[in-house]
Every structure is written in structure tokens, then in C-alpha cells.
Amino acid sequence: MAAINDLLRQVPDATLRSRLEQEFSRLAKNKKFGLVFEEHIPECTPLYGITVKRGSTVARKAGRINDVFTVVKLIGDAAHCRNKATGETVSIPLTELVSVAQFGEPIFPMLQPIASVENAPDSDLWHTLIEADNYHALQLLEYLYPKQVDCIYIDPPYNTGAKDWKYNNDYVDSSDSWRHSKWLSMMQKRLRIAKRILNPENSVLIVAIDDNELFSLGILLDELFPGTERQLINITINPKGKARDGRLSQVDEYLIIVYLGEAKAQEQIVDTMAKEIRWPYLRRSDVESARGTKKGGVRQFYPIYVNVNTEKVVSVGDPLAPDQDINNVPHITDTVPVFPIREDGKHMNWGLTSPSFEYALNNGFIKVTKSSNLFQPYNFTYVTLPSIRKIEDGLYQVIGHREDGSKIVVVPNGKPQKSTTAWSKNLYDANAYGSQLIGNVLPNIKFPFPKSLYSVIDVLRVFVGSNPNALIIDFFAGSGTTLHAANLLNAEDGGHRQCILVTNNEVSVDEARDLQREGYQPGDPEWERHGICRAVTWPRTKYSILGKRADDTALTGEYFTNQTVTKEVPRTFRQLRFDSEAMDLNAKKDIVALLGGKLPQNLVTRQGAFIVSEKHTISVLFDPTAAEAWVAELEEQDHITEFYIVVKETAVFNRLKERINELLGTVTVTEQIKRPINEGFPANAEYFKLGFLDKNSVSLGRQFHEILPLLWLKSGAIDRRPEISADEEPEMLILPQNGFAILVDETKYAEFAKKLSEEDNIKVVYFVTNSEEAFREMTAVVKANNTYQLYRDYIDNFVLGSRRDS
């Protein structure tokens, strides 16, 4: 039905077309669809840069890509074309035409080198980025790596109804009644080929998806991979949640895992490494929470007094009435009162009430920094109350301080947890570690919905962490997160994992509209420059490897790694400047309450001068006259890391702090190692654009220069890619550094065989010969793991493959 629907659009008679559409719509309503989805008119791919000549299949650049013509003849600057569907002939200017590859037709691909980056000249590991429609790229990958891939990770379009993916070169949106059917048809074609490149004995297919196509995709995978085990992982990627009108707020998505052969998930110890809690800005940012609004209330607009010399908070004022002038507040010497006021002068609110702020401040959960805002000279960041509760509940622990005194909060090293099907980490936040990370690497680029680098690296760690030489492919590469994650994982464990990315070079809907207004068409250099592959995927790959951008500006920030280091940190001491002589039972309980539940109230007694407990990591001294007994009680209490001393005299506090440090020493902690982003990675990468060759030229051996990059990839992409000039056709190439050799002139076989016998690193040999018998005879003599007949193997692969897939 979908194919008929597409054909109906080509009926030139508007009245007849309308009647037919009505009748077929009536018929379609009587058909029930489950996973029974429609096969569509085969997808087409525009081949920009391919010369239009007599016999070419073409389409209009500005028209529908599946409205195809055959070029009958060329007349000057125009082509005389016949419409394949209607038979109508028309003359079209060559500048308005583009060559088209129709799915199901044999294609003969080549790789045009575009760029490369080399940051590990001594390494033979090279990653690959291929700019191409992923269907034709998969056909190429089947020739290069049949049954050899260890892991496929893909993040296909989620089919939400937004204009974020194309079918037959047209965006599919919510108004397209066939969008689910088209999506399944598109995925089925690609997954069929993906199955043929996966190692059937030990590999995994991983698909990221949300609930729009989750269930139908699962059934499709069951049909394509019968007898395999499948699991579903729920992963939290948006802790804040995405509002859905009248529905539950969406915080998660899914990973579908298909295990082939003996593939297993590697056991992982998760959430035991040091990890900082987020420190958001204290000033509210949402206008609904501005001063005086119903949501904002009146309790969270108050002055915070900062000493202008020490830049420390010294006091917190009372909340102001809605109409109270901010200049009408008490004055404190050497301080400035700071209010939550935006750069535009708008009065907002703080994110905490003043009691909560004071509690957070006294416990080290407030950080002060200077601000360029004339209305608010200081910024405050803080640990959120939910995070503080996790600290109080023992889910997190404090292991040290920053130079400015604020606390470093980390996940405690408790009992190991094995990987489960529910994944949730702060590091999976797609905004903080996806969008913002790309913004750091590419400041002027906005890319929608990138994956968190850390959710992808954990996927790779679980499924190929035990295979340091894994071949990983992502044919919905998007911004290039998978290759980025592979590099970080390799840097962590010394792995040699190779990653191949495939993505098209589409521009967004808005960019396409703007470019068309400026007179540009798809295929024009200016148009292509804005495409995802050239503007996002390749720059991200290059800059992340080098640790700097094209203008030599270094990338900032740090990567979180799965590596840890054990170090010594000081214990924590807090001076509480209360009157110790006035410490009655209620005052002691109030102090314990200020600790937020870290100590139970039943430890407080009327006569007790201090608290020391073998079950708790906090100790409190209420009466400094009992200091000697307190210190004696602390002997061998190494588990206590925080000390609160009620004393007015700083000298007394410092003496007690020194004695306890001498008694107990420092604390041994395990911290997560971070890797500076500007260090880059010891890795190399090649960037290619997929092109297409003429079958006859290939069979006649006229495309050796164009085929050579494919042979390098097929041989493992080892070391720097060999290059020859376009008009050069050597008699033979013996490339021990690349691990392969090619005999171009079979009359030189004897010389070729002799040279091969002197090399130990040649694992793959290619023979250019039309004789099957000669190929067998030559193969029998050479010592190589794999031999191939050119150009027959190449041609047969794509001819047979197209028949199988059509």
C-alpha cells in the first residue's frame, strides 16, 4: 500500500489522482497492521559529484529523489530525460540534476580520502569515518568485514514525529501516515546487512531507542535474529525529565542488546568510584520563581553578606518583604550584601531558604566566586538538598576539601554491584555530558540530542571491555560519540579497539531552508560544509584526538575515567563558635540536628561532654574542658573522619585539631582519576566520502588508485594508508607495514612470490587476474592468511549482494 501511495503522487491528472487516493485510503482502513509493515518504493541515494552522462539514472536536485529519470542524450548544457514511471520525456538543465543510486541495483563503491588526523605516529591503529548513506556503506562494510565485527552500537532516529530523519531524501514527520512503516522498512534493510557483518560466534548488536518504536523494533530484531538472546536495559539520560503534555515526565530511554553466539556482558563494578555531586548556581533561573511571584514566595530573597577582603560569607540576613528596598538592609563592616539579581536587573530568588543556606554554608556545601554581574558581585554554587540527604543517609561520603574550602563529595567505596538492566548515573546526563561536551569541543555548533560520552563508554566497557582488539561499528554515528568513547576506553586500559563510523552529511531543516534562500543546492560546497559529517562528526573526532581545535586553542575540562588512585587526605574539622558553658541538653541536641541526621539524637546526654561512637564517622566535643578525656576516647578510632568542636577560642580549636591529627593521622581514600581533555588521545583517524565506480572500468583494472583505500581497510587499516598517484598503476605493491600485498601484473608473479617469501608481516594478498585457475595456483604458493582475486571478488560481492537485498 505504501508503494502504491508513493506511485499515486506521480499521477499527473489531479482529479484522477484525488479519486484514486480516496479509494486506496478506504481500502487501507480495512487492513490491520501489527508488525506487518509495508514495503516501500526502494530508497534512492543522490550521488553528488558523479558526472551525469548518457544512460545515467538521475533526479532533480530540488525534486523528489524517487522521481527518477533516465538520461537519453545530452544536448549542450541540458539532458534529454525519460521519466522511469510515466515515460514522459523532458529536457532538464544539467545544473539541476543529480545522479541517483537506486537500492537493489549493483553499486561499486570507492572511498575518496577527505582528511586525516594522526596523533600516534608509532601506532598502527587507525579509526575510520565514512561520509555516506549508511545502506550503501553497509554494503561496502560487508565486503570489507564479513562476519568479523565484534560490536555494533547504533543510535537510530527515534521516529518521534519531529523532522529528524529522511526516507528517500525527504524528511519524515508526524503528518506522514506511513512514518512507522517507513521507519521499520528503513531499519530492516540495514539490520539485514548488519547481521552479516557481525561475528556469529561472539558479538553483540546494541540499539539505543526510546518508546516510540521500542516494541516494534524488538519484534523486528526477533525476526531478523531468531534463536538469539535479547535483553533490554533501562538507562536514565535526563534526570530533570522531559515534559510530555498530559503524560509522565520522561527521564530514560532503552538499550536493546542482541547477543550472538558466546557473547557475554562483562561483570562490572559500578558506582563505586569517586564522583563529584553537581554544584548548581544558587540563584534561581526560571522566571516563574522570580521575587514576588507566587511560586517564588517571600522567604528566598535575602542578603548574603560577603567579606570583600576574604571573599567569604560572614552572615545571612533576614528575607525582605516584597516591597522592601534592597538598600534598606543592615550594614556590616567590610562586607557587601549580595542579592539574587540577574544581569538585566531582574530580582530573582535564591535556591535555598536562609536556614537551609546557613546549614549548607556551615557544612561546607557553599562555594563563593567573583562575578562580573554589576547587580550581583558574587556567585554562589551549592550542593542540592537531595544530594545532601544522600550524604546524610550514607549513600555519599565526604573525603576532602577544595582549595576554597568547599567539600568534594564522592560515592563511597562500598560493596561492589554487578551490572544490571537498570543503569543510572549522573554521568549519563545527556545534557551535561553530551550537549555541553560537544559545546566545549565545538563552541559554535548546536547538535540535537547527543548521547552522554559516559553512557556510551559504559556500553563499550560492559560488552567489549574484555576484548582490547574489538572492531566496533556505528552506522548511525551522529556527532561521533562512539569513536570518542572508544578512544577514552583505549586510553584507560591500553586497548587497541578500532572504530568505524558512518554518517550522512545532511543539514538540518532550518539550515536547508536558509541555504536555499541564499541560492545553494545540495552538493554545492557551501551546502556540504554545513552538513553533519563535515561540521560536527569530523571536527569532533579530530579535535578530541588532538586535544585542541583547528585554531590551536586547547580544549578545556577533564574526562571522568574508570581508573582510581589511592591517596591520603586530611580529616575534617569544624569550629562551632557557641558558648560551651551554655550547652544544656537542648543546645546539644540542636547542634546534632544541624548535622542533618548524621548522628542520632539518642547519643546526646545531659552530662555527656562529647560524642564518640564506633558506628559513626562524626565526633562532637561540646565542652572543651573535657578535651583530654575526648582525645583519649578517640585513640584508635580511625573510622572517624569529621570533628565538630564547640569552642570560641581559635587557638584552642587549632591545638585540638593538631593533637587529633597527630593521634589519628590522615584518611586513606580512593579517588577517581580524571584525564585532561587537552591531552587528546594517542590515536589516528581517516575521513572518507563514499563514491561509486563504473563496473566496466573496475573490471578492466582502470580503478586501482580508487580501490586501494578499500584494500587497506579490508586488510585491517594497519599503519598509515598507502597512497599512489592517480595515473600510477604499479606492477605490484608489497606493504609489510600495512600487512598486505597486491600483484597487479600477474606476469610478474615469480618476482612477487620471491619478495613475499622475504616478508613475515604480510597477512593478506590480492591477485589481479581474470583466471580462476591462475588465482588458485598463485594462492597455493604464497604464505598468507587470506587471499583475494581482484577484481572478481569485488564485483561479485556487490552484484550478488544487490540481488540478495533487493
Side-chain angles (χ1 to χ4, degrees):
M1 294 292 291
I4 293 174
N5 213 38
D6 288 333
L7 289 169
L8 284 175
R9 296 192 185 98
Q10 301 177 27
V11 175
D13 187 313
T15 303
L16 176 60
R17 182 172 64 250
S18 177
R19 285 293 309 277
L20 288 171
E21 286 174 344
Q22 292 174 18
E23 287 303 310
F24 280 109
S25 175
R26 182 179 59 79
L27 289 172
K29 290 178 181 178
N30 295 327
K31 184 166 183 176
K32 303 298 182 184
F33 289 92
L35 192 61
V36 181
F37 57 92
E38 291 289 334
E39 293 294 336
H40 294 261
I41 291 176
E43 296 176 60
C44 301
T45 303
L47 308 177
Y48 301 110
I50 302 297
T51 303
V52 174
K53 57 186 179 180
R54 184 175 178 271
S56 295
T57 299
V58 297
R60 295 179 187 268
K61 290 180 180 178
R64 296 176 57 82
I65 197 66
N66 61 345
D67 188 12
V68 292
F69 301 82
T70 300
V71 176
V72 179
K73 59 182 176 180
L74 300 176
I75 305 175
D77 295 331
H80 193 63
C81 305
R82 179 181 294 110
N83 189 293
K84 284 195 172 185
T86 67
E88 176 190 6
T89 58
V90 62
S91 181
I92 306 173
L94 289 172
T95 55
E96 297 179 9
L97 291 176
V98 60
S99 293
V100 169
Q102 291 182 290
F103 286 21
E105 296 178 349
I107 55 100
F108 302 96
M110 53 85 71
L111 292 175
Q112 175 190 352
I114 302 296
S116 66
V117 57
E118 185 175 9
N119 201 37
D122 296 330
S123 172
D124 62 1
L125 173 64
W126 284 76
H127 302 299
T128 306
L129 169 62
I130 301 175
E131 176 191 321
D133 171 272
N134 56 13
Y135 180 84
H136 291 309
L138 279 166
Q139 289 181 306
L140 171 61
L141 292 175
E142 185 183 2
Y143 170 66
L144 299 176
Y145 305 111
K147 299 182 180 181
Q148 297 176 38
V149 176
D150 300 294
C151 173
I152 291 178
Y153 172 90
I154 54 174
D155 181 19
Y158 288 177
N159 206 19
T160 61
K163 288 188 175 183
D164 57 0
W165 71 284
K166 286 185 173 183
Y167 188 87
N168 265 333
N169 216 40
D170 286 333
Y171 282 105
V172 178
D173 60 24
S174 56
S175 65
D176 191 327
S177 58
W178 299 98
R179 68 184 179 93
H180 292 289
S181 177
K182 287 180 177 179
W183 191 89
L184 282 169
S185 180
M186 180 269 294
M187 290 298 295
Q188 181 195 56
K189 292 182 177 75
R190 287 150 180 82
L191 289 172
R192 277 176 178 166
I193 307 178
K195 179 180 179 180
R196 299 198 292 266
I197 65 176
L198 283 165
N199 177 359
E201 297 180 0
N202 188 350
S203 64
V204 288
L205 168 68
I206 304 161
V207 186
I209 200 71
D210 75 352
D211 52 4
N212 283 282
E213 298 290 356
L214 172 65
F215 303 109
S216 54
L217 176 61
I219 299 172
L220 176 63
L221 289 171
D222 284 345
E223 291 179 357
L224 294 174
F225 296 87
T228 59
E229 185 174 350
R230 175 163 62 82
Q231 279 192 298
L232 186 67
I233 293 174
N234 175 275
I235 179 167
T236 302
I237 63 162
N238 184 5
K240 294 181 179 179
K242 181 181 179 182
R244 297 176 67 170
D245 208 16
R247 301 291 185 268
L248 301 177
S249 182
Q250 194 81 25
V251 301
D252 55 5
E253 64 179 21
Y254 307 94
L255 296 174
I256 301 181
I257 316 296
V258 179
Y259 298 88
L260 275 68
E262 300 299 317
K264 291 180 173 60
Q266 183 176 334
E267 292 186 341
Q268 288 287 120
I269 297 176
V270 297
D271 277 352
T272 61
M273 304 305 176
K275 177 173 65 174
E276 290 192 31
I277 285 177
R278 294 176 59 204
W279 290 66
Y281 281 104
L282 183 66
R283 190 184 72 210
R284 291 276 182 87
S285 59
D286 52 318
V287 294
E288 293 85 357
S289 298
R291 181 188 183 188
T293 60
K294 183 177 180 180
K295 181 178 178 182
V298 296
R299 298 180 59 213
Q300 288 172 241
F301 188 84
Y302 52 84
I304 299 173
Y305 292 90
V306 177
N307 186 293
V308 294
N309 299 313
T310 64
E311 297 183 352
K312 302 291 184 184
V313 176
V314 297
S315 181
V316 179
D318 294 327
L320 272 64
D323 57 351
Q324 184 176 348
D325 190 338
I326 61 173
N327 296 311
N328 186 22
V329 295
H331 174 72
I332 300 177
T333 304
D334 293 332
T335 69
V336 57
V338 182
F339 290 93
I341 303 177
R342 292 195 322 199
E343 289 81 353
D344 60 2
K346 185 174 182 60
H347 289 200
M348 304 300 293
N349 273 308
W350 297 123
L352 297 171
T353 62
S354 52
S356 296
F357 178 86
E358 289 188 88
Y359 168 72
L361 175 68
N362 293 333
N363 286 276
F365 299 125
I366 299 289
K367 185 167 58 175
V368 185
T369 56
K370 273 189 174 181
S371 166
S372 59
N373 179 357
L374 296 176
F375 299 101
Q376 183 187 316
Y378 291 94
N379 287 326
F380 305 93
T381 52
Y382 72 110
V383 174
T384 61
L385 290 179
S387 295
I388 292 176
R389 292 190 196 103
K390 291 178 182 178
I391 297 164
E392 295 164 350
D393 293 341
L395 299 178
Y396 295 155
Q397 67 180 2
V398 177
I399 64 168
H401 294 79
R402 301 175 188 271
E403 291 181 0
D404 64 4
S406 58
K407 292 191 176 183
I408 297 175
V409 187
V410 300
V411 175
N413 286 316
K415 292 182 179 180
Q417 279 184 288
K418 303 303 181 184
S419 291
T420 67
T421 55
W423 290 19
S424 179
K425 282 186 184 180
N426 286 344
L427 289 176
Y428 295 161
D429 186 333
N431 176 53
Y433 304 109
S435 298
Q436 293 181 30
L437 179 65
I438 291 180
N440 177 34
V441 178
L442 304 169
N444 299 319
I445 295 294
K446 288 186 178 180
F447 183 82
F449 314 120
K451 285 286 178 289
S452 163
L453 176 67
Y454 303 103
S455 66
V456 179
I457 194 175
D458 275 2
V459 168
L460 299 184
R461 188 178 284 123
V462 168
F463 294 103
V464 295
S466 60
N467 182 358
N469 298 304
L471 175 58
I472 304 163
I473 287 179
D474 181 351
F475 54 86
F476 283 99
S479 68
T481 305
T482 305
L483 194 152
H484 200 158
N487 275 333
L488 183 55
L489 182 57
N490 282 342
E492 282 185 18
D493 65 9
H496 199 264
R497 300 171 188 88
Q498 180 188 3
C499 186
I500 298 175
L501 301 182
V502 177
T503 185
N504 58 34
N505 198 41
E506 297 289 354
V507 301
S508 68
V509 175
D510 293 339
E511 286 175 321
R513 183 176 57 249
D514 293 341
L515 289 166
Q516 286 171 342
R517 286 173 181 166
E518 296 175 24
Y520 296 109
Q521 299 184 87
D524 292 344
E526 182 64 19
W527 185 292
E528 296 300 303
R529 186 172 67 83
H530 288 82
I532 176 179
C533 193
R534 305 204 178 192
V536 181
T537 321
W538 175 246
R540 178 185 184 177
T541 297
K542 180 179 179 180
Y543 300 166
S544 63
I545 287 176
L546 295 176
K548 60 182 181 180
R549 303 181 190 90
D551 60 2
D552 281 337
T553 56
L555 303 182
T556 59
E558 296 175 308
Y559 295 116
F560 295 91
T561 74
N562 210 38
Q563 299 168 305
T564 59
V565 60
T566 300
K567 61 189 297 185
E568 301 294 318
V569 298
R571 297 175 193 269
T572 302
F573 294 85
R574 294 289 180 191
Q575 181 181 3
L576 305 179
R577 299 177 186 274
F578 301 129
D579 184 359
S580 59
E581 295 180 359
M583 280 289 116
D584 59 13
L585 180 63
N586 289 332
K588 294 175 185 178
K589 287 187 174 183
D590 286 344
I591 287 177
V592 170
L594 285 174
L595 300 181
K598 294 181 180 181
L599 288 175
Q601 291 281 344
N602 61 15
L603 293 179
V604 182
T605 64
R606 188 177 303 277
Q607 301 301 323
F610 52 80
I611 295 176
V612 175
S613 170
E614 293 184 353
K615 297 180 179 179
H616 299 89
T617 61
I618 295 175
S619 179
V620 183
L621 174 64
F622 299 113
D623 183 357
T625 63
E628 292 299 325
W630 180 54
V631 172
E633 191 75 19
L634 288 171
E635 189 169 357
E636 296 185 0
Q637 301 289 346
D638 291 334
H639 68 288
I640 298 179
T641 59
E642 293 185 63
F643 303 87
Y644 294 83
I645 303 173
V646 179
V647 61
K648 288 186 175 181
E649 298 83 3
T650 301
V652 176
F653 170 76
N654 288 336
R655 283 199 303 270
L656 289 173
K657 175 180 176 181
E658 185 176 352
R659 287 190 63 185
I660 295 172
N661 276 330
E662 291 176 354
L663 178 69
L664 299 179
T666 56
V667 182
T668 302
V669 298
T670 301
E671 288 187 356
Q672 189 174 26
I673 296 175
K674 294 181 181 179
R675 179 186 179 89
I677 294 177
N678 62 19
E679 281 187 6
F681 299 107
N684 312 301
E686 280 269 6
Y687 171 20
F688 299 102
K689 179 179 174 64
L690 189 70
F692 300 91
L693 300 174
D694 178 78
K695 174 186 175 182
N696 294 328
S697 296
V698 174
S699 61
L700 292 173
R702 296 173 181 169
Q703 304 287 350
F704 181 78
H705 172 267
E706 288 77 7
I707 293 292
L708 186 56
L710 302 186
L711 304 184
W712 172 69
L713 279 173
K714 190 173 178 67
S715 305
I718 299 170
D719 207 82
R720 189 177 297 154
R721 177 177 55 83
E723 296 184 76
I724 62 172
S725 62
D727 57 355
E728 180 182 1
E729 184 174 305
E731 297 173 341
M732 64 185 73
L733 278 179
I734 297 178
L735 306 163
Q737 72 276 16
N738 302 116
F740 72 97
I742 311 165
L743 177 61
V744 181
D745 183 352
E746 61 183 303
T747 66
K748 303 294 182 180
Y749 172 71
E751 179 185 351
F752 179 73
K754 182 176 183 302
K755 290 183 177 181
L756 275 188
S757 67
E758 299 169 356
E759 300 289 348
D760 295 325
N761 294 330
I762 303 297
K763 308 299 182 185
V764 182
V765 177
Y766 303 92
F767 295 103
V768 178
T769 177
N770 290 325
S771 170
E772 192 77 31
E773 183 179 355
F775 171 69
R776 287 196 300 269
E777 290 176 355
M778 290 186 288
T779 295
V781 176
V782 301
K783 53 176 184 179
N785 295 344
N786 296 289
T787 58
Y788 300 94
Q789 182 183 358
L790 292 179
Y791 291 92
R792 175 168 293 181
D793 283 348
Y794 171 85
I795 293 172
D796 288 352
N797 176 82
F798 295 105
V799 171
L800 296 175
S802 64
R803 292 173 184 168
R804 180 172 55 232
D805 296 329
S806 62

